[in-house]
Amino acid sequence: GQQWDAGSVGDRGGSVRAAALPSVLLAEGVPSTGAQADGGPRISPSTHNDLSAPLASMIPGDDDRPDQEKPQRKLPGHRHSGNGATVGTSSPAIAAIPSTTLNFAGVGNGFSGPSGTFTVNSAPPDTNGATGLNHYIQIVNSSFAIFDKSGTPIYGPVPINTLWSGFGGLCQTDNDGDPTVVYDRQADRFVISQFAVSGANGTSIPFLQCVAVAQTANPTGAYYRYSFPYNYF
């Protein structure tokens, strides 16, 4: 039930242990907020946490946001204009790229899976994915799907907030995207996260980071779920 701001999932440090275990197993006496005295990681408690029902049994969440498009901005530090030349297939860099062993359609315009058809509702797509021993999870915009290692979709596409069905609060009602999915190779677990900000005002209802950690190696099973508050978006 506590979030470590420093350290990545998959490190041997406390970050993955704190995220992957239910709150009742966390050691007592850990500072609840603020930076460590030695300048180490900052720790904050979750506002709510639980263990979900199996994902495969959940009713897909709602994603009724209007279509959105983020403005395109110039990349910082790119002051040179170049000569407009393109890189051809004869380039040494292109020739050094190995061929892929498997290609399949991911979550995108017209993609269909066991739960229906994906609908584009935002641009850019914020595409993110992670590969585990037996599964691949891809998140695009505010939806996600789970594939087996042959590229066959076995779950989804569904709104990301499906993961927080029955959780309550903004993690359940909002589906704001900017998601991430990572795979912890040491624990053989997927960790999925997105923020919940559209229903918050930063004071009486803080912004939330919603985190779901697979209970087992099966990403269609149950998840440990957490919401972490922060006041500045």
Side-chain angles (χ1 to χ4, degrees):
Q2 293 170 331
Q3 173 176 264
W4 296 68
D5 290 344
S8 61
V9 172
D11 288 349
R12 291 184 178 273
S15 59
V16 68
R17 300 306 171 204
L21 295 178
S23 59
V24 294
L25 297 182
L26 291 173
E28 296 182 0
V30 178
S32 61
T33 186
Q36 300 293 317
D38 60 358
R42 186 176 65 183
I43 304 171
S44 61
S46 62
T47 59
H48 181 51
N49 57 78
D50 72 358
L51 176 62
S52 76
L55 176 61
S57 67
M58 294 184 189
I59 299 174
D62 294 324
D63 188 13
D64 54 358
R65 300 184 307 162
D67 292 349
Q68 303 178 54
E69 182 175 355
K70 299 176 183 177
Q72 183 176 359
R73 297 183 173 90
K74 294 182 179 180
L75 293 175
H78 289 254
R79 300 183 182 278
H80 55 278
S81 59
N83 58 9
T86 58
V87 178
T89 55
S90 60
S91 164
I94 297 297
I97 298 175
S99 60
T100 57
T101 57
L102 179 67
N103 289 283
F104 58 91
V107 179
N109 188 32
F111 169 78
S112 293
S115 304
T117 300
F118 174 73
T119 300
V120 177
N121 63 8
S122 302
D126 295 334
T127 305
N128 196 264
T131 302
L133 287 178
N134 300 300
H135 301 88
Y136 171 69
I137 298 181
Q138 186 181 31
I139 291 183
V140 175
N141 292 145
S142 52
S143 297
F144 76 103
I146 302 174
F147 301 79
D148 64 22
K149 292 302 283 286
S150 67
T152 302
I154 61 174
Y155 180 82
V158 297
I160 302 169
N161 64 344
T162 300
L163 278 165
W164 287 273
S165 295
F167 187 74
L170 301 184
C171 289
Q172 177 177 334
T173 58
D174 286 9
N175 196 44
D176 293 329
D178 273 23
T180 61
V181 52
V182 295
Y183 174 69
D184 178 357
R185 289 179 291 178
Q186 290 181 315
D188 189 18
R189 299 290 188 273
F190 283 95
V191 182
I192 299 175
S193 178
Q194 73 169 348
F195 56 32
V197 296
S198 61
N201 59 28
T203 306
S204 60
I205 305 177
F207 304 114
L208 296 176
Q209 190 69 29
C210 311
V211 180
V213 182
Q215 184 188 33
T216 69
N218 179 10
T220 65
Y223 281 76
Y224 294 115
R225 305 184 295 188
Y226 307 86
S227 58
F228 295 99
Y230 55 103
N231 293 323
Y232 301 97
F233 176 57

